[in-house]
Amino acid sequence: MTPNELNYLPIEKLCLALIFTIQKLKHYFQAHTVNLISKANPIKYVMSKPVLSDRLARWYLQLQQFEIVYAPQKAIKGQVLVDFLANHPLPAEWELCDEIPDEDVLNVEVIPPWQMYFDGVVHQEGVRAGVVFITPQQDLLHYSFSLSHKCSNNIAEYQALILRLESTADLNIPQLEIYGDSQLVIKQLT
Protein backbone atom coordinates (compact mmCIF):
# COMPACT_ATOMS: atom_id res chain seq x y z
CA MET A 1 0.00 0.00 0.00
CA THR A 2 1.14 3.52 -0.70
CA PRO A 3 1.49 6.02 2.15
CA ASN A 4 -1.75 7.70 1.02
CA GLU A 5 -3.61 4.39 0.98
CA LEU A 6 -2.50 3.72 4.56
CA ASN A 7 -4.54 6.77 5.62
CA TYR A 8 -7.78 5.39 4.13
CA LEU A 9 -10.69 4.53 6.39
CA PRO A 10 -11.07 0.78 7.09
CA ILE A 11 -14.09 0.58 4.74
CA GLU A 12 -12.09 2.33 2.02
CA LYS A 13 -9.26 -0.18 2.51
CA LEU A 14 -11.84 -2.94 2.06
CA CYS A 15 -13.03 -1.28 -1.16
CA LEU A 16 -9.43 -1.02 -2.34
CA ALA A 17 -8.87 -4.72 -1.61
CA LEU A 18 -12.02 -5.58 -3.57
CA ILE A 19 -10.91 -3.43 -6.53
CA PHE A 20 -7.45 -5.04 -6.46
CA THR A 21 -9.08 -8.49 -6.42
CA ILE A 22 -11.32 -7.53 -9.36
CA GLN A 23 -8.29 -6.38 -11.36
CA LYS A 24 -6.37 -9.61 -10.71
CA LEU A 25 -9.29 -12.06 -11.04
CA LYS A 26 -11.49 -10.28 -13.57
CA HIS A 27 -12.27 -13.46 -15.55
CA TYR A 28 -13.77 -15.08 -12.41
CA PHE A 29 -15.88 -12.02 -11.64
CA GLN A 30 -17.22 -11.99 -15.22
CA ALA A 31 -18.16 -15.68 -15.22
CA HIS A 32 -19.70 -16.03 -11.74
CA THR A 33 -21.81 -14.32 -9.13
CA VAL A 34 -19.47 -13.33 -6.32
CA ASN A 35 -20.61 -13.60 -2.70
CA LEU A 36 -18.80 -10.98 -0.62
CA ILE A 37 -18.68 -11.97 3.07
CA SER A 38 -17.65 -9.01 5.17
CA LYS A 39 -18.48 -7.07 8.33
CA ALA A 40 -19.20 -3.96 6.25
CA ASN A 41 -20.67 -3.55 2.78
CA PRO A 42 -18.17 -1.59 0.65
CA ILE A 43 -20.59 -1.32 -2.26
CA LYS A 44 -23.21 0.33 -0.06
CA TYR A 45 -20.54 2.66 1.33
CA VAL A 46 -19.52 3.83 -2.14
CA MET A 47 -23.14 4.28 -3.26
CA SER A 48 -24.16 6.17 -0.11
CA LYS A 49 -21.79 9.08 -0.74
CA PRO A 50 -23.77 12.12 -2.04
CA VAL A 51 -20.73 13.43 -3.89
CA LEU A 52 -18.19 10.94 -5.11
CA SER A 53 -14.53 11.80 -5.23
CA ASP A 54 -12.51 10.79 -8.27
CA ARG A 55 -11.27 7.64 -6.52
CA LEU A 56 -14.74 6.59 -5.25
CA ALA A 57 -16.32 7.25 -8.67
CA ARG A 58 -13.77 4.98 -10.37
CA TRP A 59 -14.38 2.28 -7.75
CA TYR A 60 -18.15 2.60 -8.18
CA LEU A 61 -17.87 2.09 -11.95
CA GLN A 62 -15.66 -0.96 -11.51
CA LEU A 63 -17.98 -2.51 -8.90
CA GLN A 64 -21.07 -1.99 -11.08
CA GLN A 65 -19.67 -4.15 -13.88
CA PHE A 66 -20.01 -7.37 -11.88
CA GLU A 67 -22.67 -9.25 -9.97
CA ILE A 68 -21.45 -8.98 -6.36
CA VAL A 69 -23.80 -10.09 -3.58
CA TYR A 70 -22.99 -8.89 -0.07
CA ALA A 71 -23.56 -11.22 2.90
CA PRO A 72 -22.89 -10.04 6.46
CA GLN A 73 -20.27 -12.09 8.28
CA LYS A 74 -22.54 -12.80 11.27
CA ALA A 75 -25.20 -14.39 9.08
CA ILE A 76 -22.66 -16.67 7.45
CA LYS A 77 -21.34 -17.97 10.79
CA GLY A 78 -24.84 -18.92 11.95
CA GLN A 79 -25.74 -20.32 8.55
CA VAL A 80 -22.93 -22.89 8.67
CA LEU A 81 -24.56 -24.70 11.59
CA VAL A 82 -27.97 -24.61 9.93
CA ASP A 83 -26.54 -25.97 6.67
CA PHE A 84 -24.74 -28.78 8.51
CA LEU A 85 -27.88 -29.85 10.38
CA ALA A 86 -29.93 -29.72 7.17
CA ASN A 87 -27.41 -31.91 5.33
CA HIS A 88 -27.09 -34.42 8.23
CA PRO A 89 -30.54 -35.15 9.63
CA LEU A 90 -30.95 -37.52 12.58
CA PRO A 91 -32.17 -41.01 11.63
CA ALA A 92 -35.78 -41.69 12.61
CA GLU A 93 -34.81 -44.61 14.88
CA TRP A 94 -32.69 -42.40 17.16
CA GLU A 95 -34.36 -41.35 20.39
CA LEU A 96 -33.54 -38.05 22.00
CA CYS A 97 -33.31 -37.84 25.78
CA ASP A 98 -32.58 -35.07 28.26
CA GLU A 99 -30.37 -37.18 30.53
CA ILE A 100 -26.62 -36.73 30.37
CA PRO A 101 -24.86 -40.07 30.75
CA ASP A 102 -21.57 -40.20 32.58
CA GLU A 103 -21.79 -36.74 34.14
CA ASP A 104 -18.50 -37.44 35.92
CA VAL A 105 -16.74 -37.48 32.55
CA LEU A 106 -17.41 -33.77 32.24
CA ASN A 107 -15.51 -32.98 35.46
CA VAL A 108 -11.91 -32.02 34.84
CA GLU A 109 -9.39 -31.86 37.65
CA VAL A 110 -6.66 -29.32 36.98
CA ILE A 111 -3.38 -30.29 38.59
CA PRO A 112 -0.89 -27.45 38.92
CA PRO A 113 2.48 -28.13 37.32
CA TRP A 114 5.70 -28.89 39.12
CA GLN A 115 8.17 -26.01 39.19
CA MET A 116 11.93 -26.30 38.87
CA TYR A 117 14.38 -23.50 39.75
CA PHE A 118 18.05 -24.01 38.84
CA ASP A 119 21.24 -22.03 39.33
CA GLY A 120 24.96 -22.58 38.99
CA VAL A 121 27.89 -20.66 40.37
CA VAL A 122 31.66 -20.62 39.86
CA HIS A 123 33.94 -19.38 42.65
CA GLN A 124 37.46 -19.98 44.03
CA GLU A 125 36.51 -23.18 45.85
CA GLY A 126 34.99 -24.82 42.76
CA VAL A 127 31.85 -25.10 40.71
CA ARG A 128 28.52 -25.68 42.41
CA ALA A 129 25.00 -26.06 41.10
CA GLY A 130 21.62 -26.35 42.72
CA VAL A 131 18.07 -27.21 41.81
CA VAL A 132 14.83 -26.81 43.76
CA PHE A 133 11.62 -28.60 42.80
CA ILE A 134 8.26 -27.35 44.07
CA THR A 135 5.56 -30.02 43.87
CA PRO A 136 1.86 -29.25 43.25
CA GLN A 137 1.35 -29.76 46.99
CA GLN A 138 4.00 -27.02 47.63
CA ASP A 139 6.60 -29.50 48.95
CA LEU A 140 10.24 -28.50 48.33
CA LEU A 141 12.85 -30.91 46.98
CA HIS A 142 16.42 -29.52 47.18
CA TYR A 143 19.34 -30.86 45.16
CA SER A 144 22.87 -29.45 45.15
CA PHE A 145 26.08 -30.84 43.72
CA SER A 146 29.66 -29.93 42.85
CA LEU A 147 31.20 -30.19 39.41
CA SER A 148 34.71 -31.61 39.16
CA HIS A 149 35.95 -29.47 36.29
CA LYS A 150 36.44 -25.71 35.99
CA CYS A 151 33.90 -23.98 33.79
CA SER A 152 31.95 -20.73 33.34
CA ASN A 153 28.75 -19.76 35.14
CA ASN A 154 26.68 -20.57 32.05
CA ILE A 155 28.15 -24.06 31.78
CA ALA A 156 27.49 -24.64 35.48
CA GLU A 157 23.87 -23.64 34.94
CA TYR A 158 23.63 -25.91 31.88
CA GLN A 159 24.95 -28.79 33.95
CA ALA A 160 22.44 -28.12 36.75
CA LEU A 161 19.62 -28.04 34.24
CA ILE A 162 20.71 -31.13 32.31
CA LEU A 163 21.37 -33.30 35.36
CA ARG A 164 18.01 -32.49 36.91
CA LEU A 165 16.06 -32.84 33.66
CA GLU A 166 17.49 -36.35 33.32
CA SER A 167 16.29 -37.18 36.84
CA THR A 168 12.75 -35.89 36.20
CA ALA A 169 12.13 -38.89 33.96
CA ASP A 170 12.37 -41.09 37.08
CA LEU A 171 9.97 -38.85 39.04
CA ASN A 172 7.12 -39.21 36.47
CA ILE A 173 6.38 -35.49 36.42
CA PRO A 174 3.44 -34.82 34.04
CA GLN A 175 4.06 -31.09 33.61
CA LEU A 176 7.11 -29.05 34.56
CA GLU A 177 7.75 -25.29 34.53
CA ILE A 178 11.44 -24.40 34.50
CA TYR A 179 12.85 -21.15 35.89
CA GLY A 180 16.42 -19.89 35.90
CA ASP A 181 18.26 -16.59 36.16
CA SER A 182 20.43 -17.03 33.05
CA GLN A 183 18.69 -15.54 30.01
CA LEU A 184 21.18 -17.32 27.73
CA VAL A 185 20.29 -20.76 29.10
CA ILE A 186 16.54 -20.03 29.11
CA LYS A 187 16.54 -18.71 25.51
CA GLN A 188 18.49 -21.73 24.27
CA LEU A 189 16.21 -24.08 26.18
CA THR A 190 13.08 -22.60 24.62
Side-chain angles (χ1 to χ4, degrees), residues 115-118 130-134 140-143 164:
Q115 296 176 339
M116 182 178 101
Y117 294 86
F118 69 93
V131 176
V132 175
F133 286 101
I134 301 175
L140 297 177
L141 305 173
H142 300 274
Y143 297 96
R164 286 301 107 191

Side-chain angles (χ1 to χ4, degrees), residues 111-117 132-143 171-177 179:
I111 299 172
W114 285 55
Q115 296 176 339
M116 182 178 101
Y117 294 86
V132 175
F133 286 101
I134 301 175
T135 67
Q137 296 78 23
Q138 300 303 313
D139 295 329
L140 297 177
L141 305 173
H142 300 274
Y143 297 96
L171 294 174
N172 293 327
I173 297 174
Q175 187 177 5
L176 177 65
E177 292 178 354
Y179 300 96

Side-chain angles (χ1 to χ4, degrees), residues 144-155:
S144 63
F145 45 92
S146 302
L147 298 175
S148 59
H149 58 280
K150 293 283 186 190
C151 57
S152 68
N153 274 335
N154 286 337
I155 294 175

Side-chain angles (χ1 to χ4, degrees), residues 4-160:
N4 290 339
E5 291 171 345
L6 291 173
N7 294 328
Y8 287 178
L9 296 173
I11 188 74
E12 290 176 335
K13 289 180 183 177
L14 183 61
C15 286
L16 181 64
L18 186 58
I19 295 300
F20 180 77
T21 305
I22 287 172
Q23 290 170 353
K24 296 295 181 184
L25 305 171
K26 194 171 195 170
H27 52 285
Y28 289 112
F29 277 79
Q30 291 172 340
H32 304 285
T33 300
V34 176
N35 292 317
L36 174 63
I37 302 168
S38 174
K39 292 181 181 177
N41 187 347
I43 300 167
K44 185 178 179 182
Y45 170 77
V46 171
M47 292 188 319
S48 68
K49 292 289 186 182
V51 177
L52 295 177
S53 67
D54 180 46
R55 177 183 70 238
L56 290 177
R58 279 185 282 128
W59 289 354
Y60 179 72
L61 290 175
Q62 284 185 330
L63 293 173
Q64 288 302 310
Q65 296 175 16
F66 308 104
E67 191 175 345
I68 301 172
V69 178
Y70 167 74
Q73 190 173 7
K74 290 180 186 177
I76 295 300
K77 285 182 182 178
Q79 190 64 39
V80 170
L81 182 58
V82 172
D83 290 343
F84 177 79
L85 292 175
N87 292 333
H88 300 85
L90 293 176
E93 62 271 3
W94 283 18
E95 293 183 19
L96 298 177
C97 65
D98 293 334
E99 296 177 14
I100 299 176
D102 300 327
E103 290 181 14
D104 295 336
V105 173
L106 301 175
N107 293 334
V108 177
E109 181 181 348
V110 178
I111 299 172
W114 285 55
Q115 296 176 339
M116 182 178 101
Y117 294 86
F118 69 93
D119 198 6
V121 65
V122 176
H123 53 80
Q124 292 176 347
E125 297 173 14
V127 181
R128 303 214 190 285
V131 176
V132 175
F133 286 101
I134 301 175
T135 67
Q137 296 78 23
Q138 300 303 313
D139 295 329
L140 297 177
L141 305 173
H142 300 274
Y143 297 96
S144 63
F145 45 92
S146 302
L147 298 175
S148 59
H149 58 280
K150 293 283 186 190
C151 57
S152 68
N153 274 335
N154 286 337
I155 294 175
E157 293 197 8
Y158 277 122
Q159 290 296 324

